[in-house]
Amino acid sequence: MQLTAMPKESRPREKLLDKGATALLDSELLAIFLRTGTHGMNAIELAQHLLDESGSLQNFFNAPLSEFVKFKGLGNAKYVQLQAVLELNKRYLAEQCQQETLFDSPKAVRDFLSLKLKAQQQEVFMLLYLDSQNRLLTDEVLFYGTINSASVYPREVVKSVLRHNAASVILAHNHPSGIAEPSEADRLITNKLKDALQLIDVQILDHLIVASNKTVSFAEQGWL
């Protein structure tokens, strides 16, 4: 069935305008992004087909170009559009973190870090540098590779904190395995960095581990 043949209140665009974006299913939101369907499928049917093929919305978003263009009805142009949308979302969340006190908006921090780290195929270790009011100055990936195989050097962390003139920091890294619980290496490096940064009067406000759809906070667990 063509979308124009559907009841007006069931069409994704009209539904969004009437009830807001949160009322739409994943397939309906994706249909708005796709705009058109393909032979034998309207936009909603194509969107659901893509979600079924990729296994999840997250897998669809994280698909590299080589895999993305294999999906029915997609090509370079749609890949470019999707990456632009994702990057705009990252920048929106970064701007929100810069304008707000981060402890007052923990969801924004988690959302920002999830977008930054979920798609990484290898483990990365990054810092959020904060000013004296706990607002984001900037973020930076300092180390690549698992903590066990690619050392996180406290000296380099201290140098980067001083370079950005940060008053405090939030540590973050991802677990591509999908297991969010911290390893012993995670706990050890957190304590080492805490001791090193205390020497220059900089506090670690949190260490967040991002894995699949879960984020673990050292601060919330009482591990800092």
Side-chain angles (χ1 to χ4, degrees):
M1 180 187 293
Q2 294 185 347
L3 292 186
T4 52
M6 296 174 62
K8 192 171 183 180
E9 65 274 10
S10 298
R11 300 174 200 169
R13 293 180 186 177
E14 286 77 2
K15 187 176 177 180
L16 188 150
L17 290 172
D18 183 43
K19 299 182 179 180
T22 57
L24 273 66
L25 301 172
D26 289 348
S27 57
E28 293 172 323
L29 290 169
L30 186 55
I32 293 175
F33 167 76
L34 294 172
R35 297 180 61 191
T36 60
T38 189
H39 183 69
M41 293 184 183
N42 63 33
I44 297 176
E45 292 167 339
L46 176 59
Q48 189 59 58
H49 172 74
L50 293 172
L51 293 175
D52 293 340
E53 283 287 299
S54 57
S56 70
L57 193 60
Q58 180 179 325
N59 289 342
F60 178 73
F61 282 172
N62 292 342
L65 176 60
S66 59
E67 295 297 323
F68 187 88
V69 295
K70 293 179 182 178
F71 292 128
K72 183 177 182 179
L74 301 181
N76 289 354
K78 285 294 184 209
Y79 180 80
V80 168
Q81 291 174 19
L82 179 61
Q83 294 308 308
V85 169
L86 293 175
E87 183 58 29
L88 282 170
N89 199 11
K90 291 177 187 178
R91 296 185 186 192
Y92 164 76
L93 290 170
E95 188 174 295
Q96 186 177 356
C97 291
Q98 289 169 340
Q99 293 174 348
E100 298 181 7
T101 300
L102 293 193
F103 273 166
D104 292 340
S105 187
K107 185 179 184 301
V109 179
R110 289 176 183 266
D111 289 346
F112 174 65
L113 289 173
S114 291
L115 276 174
K116 281 277 189 177
L117 298 176
K118 271 184 182 179
Q120 294 285 345
Q121 299 301 308
Q122 62 176 323
E123 193 164 314
V124 299
F125 190 94
M126 68 181 297
L127 268 73
L128 305 184
Y129 305 93
L130 312 179
D131 65 14
S132 59
Q133 297 181 46
N134 292 340
R135 294 176 302 197
L136 182 66
L137 294 168
T138 189
D139 63 275
E140 182 180 23
V141 173
L142 287 182
F143 306 102
Y144 291 85
T146 64
I147 287 178
N148 285 325
S149 62
S151 297
V152 175
Y153 298 103
R155 180 177 63 182
E156 295 302 317
V157 172
V158 170
K159 286 168 60 178
S160 68
V161 169
L162 290 173
R163 184 173 69 253
H164 291 291
N165 195 31
S168 57
V169 296
I170 292 175
L171 313 177
H173 76 280
N174 63 318
H175 281 179
S177 65
I179 301 172
E181 291 305 310
S183 65
E184 186 60 27
D186 295 336
R187 295 174 183 270
L188 287 174
I189 194 59
T190 303
N191 289 332
K192 282 185 178 180
L193 293 177
K194 181 179 178 181
D195 292 341
L197 291 173
Q198 279 180 343
L199 296 175
I200 57 170
D201 295 324
V202 172
Q203 182 183 4
I204 295 176
L205 299 183
D206 205 350
H207 184 173
L208 291 138
I209 300 175
V210 176
S212 187
N213 293 319
K214 187 175 182 181
T215 304
V216 171
S217 161
F218 274 53
E220 289 179 359
Q221 297 298 324
W223 296 333
L224 276 176

